[in-house]
Amino acid sequence: MDKLLNNFLLMLDGSEITLEIFFVTLLLSLPLGMLAALGRLSQFKLLSRLVEFYIWLMRGTPLMLQLLFVYFALPMVGVRLPDIAAALLAFTLNYAAYFAEIFRAGIQAVPKGQYEAAKTLGMSYPQTMRRIILPQVVRIVLPPVSNETINLVKDTSLVYILAMNDLLRVARTIVQREFDMTPFLIAAVFYLAMTFVLTWGFKKLEARYGKY
């Protein structure tokens, strides 16, 4: 019984690392993705090209490679980050690129006539975005954002390559030590529970914004 309790507490500690990476990445990558989308749509060609290159680079290389680069290459040039900070930097830059493309597509999906109509009503650009455009963009981007968020839950397991004691690494350590597959089953239940909650939450959001 003591061994089971100890293993459960170890996995609980590992789940804290997993949840921290998930929530902080989501909190940082969503606004960064929106800024990148606006930069991608900017009339300033240099800014647009730079953002386009960033998105191409992040989406065109594996997240695992980006994690390894941040963790091992940056110290070679004198930039040393704690393990959790290195993981969060790689995850945030990667997911911000994906969210940027989602937001860009959402903004471009709104008919240009709505901008012109808002202008004739005397609305400023910020008012147009807040009252007319963004509610429609949110409705359009919710399904792809939901998919990327669920992918993020599963991708958090990649931090095991950085020797961080996340949920999957702790489960693997216990399995190798005790030759018992139960920790893997517990880890699977944890990931499934997170994806279930996220799916339920995004369905509620889609229903709320569907009125637009």
Side-chain angles (χ1 to χ4, degrees):
M1 183 62 68
D2 290 340
K3 181 183 293 186
L4 289 175
L5 179 59
N6 184 58
N7 289 344
F8 177 78
L9 292 176
L10 288 174
M11 295 190 69
L12 193 61
D13 289 338
S15 67
E16 291 180 3
I17 297 293
T18 297
L19 288 170
E20 181 179 358
I21 293 172
F22 171 78
F23 284 113
V24 175
T25 298
L26 200 61
L27 182 65
L28 296 178
S29 61
L30 283 172
L32 182 59
M34 177 59 75
L35 290 175
L38 295 175
R40 180 71 178 83
L41 296 172
S42 173
Q43 295 181 351
F44 296 99
K45 294 298 182 183
L46 178 59
L47 175 60
S48 179
R49 294 300 183 187
L50 287 174
V51 174
E52 182 181 7
F53 175 76
Y54 155 72
I55 293 173
W56 170 77
L57 181 65
M58 292 294 105
R59 298 179 70 205
T61 55
L63 176 55
M64 183 178 291
L65 178 61
Q66 295 165 20
L67 282 166
L68 291 173
F69 180 84
V70 171
Y71 190 75
F72 291 108
L74 289 185
M76 295 180 183
V77 295
V79 180
R80 299 184 180 276
L81 298 173
D83 292 353
I84 187 68
L88 288 172
L89 176 60
F91 270 88
T92 299
L93 292 176
N94 179 274
Y95 271 85
Y98 283 93
F99 286 136
E101 282 297 275
I102 292 173
F103 294 146
R104 179 188 63 81
I107 292 172
Q108 290 182 322
V110 178
K112 293 183 181 298
Q114 298 199 28
Y115 291 91
E116 298 171 359
K119 187 176 181 179
T120 61
L121 292 175
M123 289 187 180
S124 64
Y125 182 77
Q127 288 176 326
T128 301
M129 292 296 293
R130 186 177 69 254
R131 298 180 181 179
I132 306 298
I133 306 302
L134 287 182
Q136 297 180 72
V137 171
V138 170
R139 176 182 57 82
I140 294 169
V141 305
L142 271 177
V145 166
S146 173
N147 290 335
E148 287 301 323
T149 304
I150 291 173
N151 285 335
L152 175 58
V153 172
K154 295 176 286 185
D155 280 347
T156 56
S157 62
L158 292 176
V159 298
Y160 83 91
I161 64 173
L162 305 184
M164 294 177 62
N165 286 325
D166 70 308
L167 177 65
L168 186 60
R169 184 178 179 85
V170 171
R172 179 184 175 187
T173 300
I174 297 173
V175 169
Q176 290 177 330
R177 184 181 66 213
E178 301 181 4
F179 301 98
D180 180 8
M181 296 295 292
T182 303
F184 280 158
L185 296 176
I186 296 174
V189 169
F190 172 85
Y191 288 116
L192 288 171
M194 278 198 70
T195 56
F196 173 81
V197 171
L198 289 170
T199 301
W200 176 83
F202 275 105
K203 283 183 177 179
K204 291 292 186 181
L205 287 174
E206 289 178 29
R208 177 181 177 183
Y209 283 96
K211 62 184 179 181
Y212 291 103

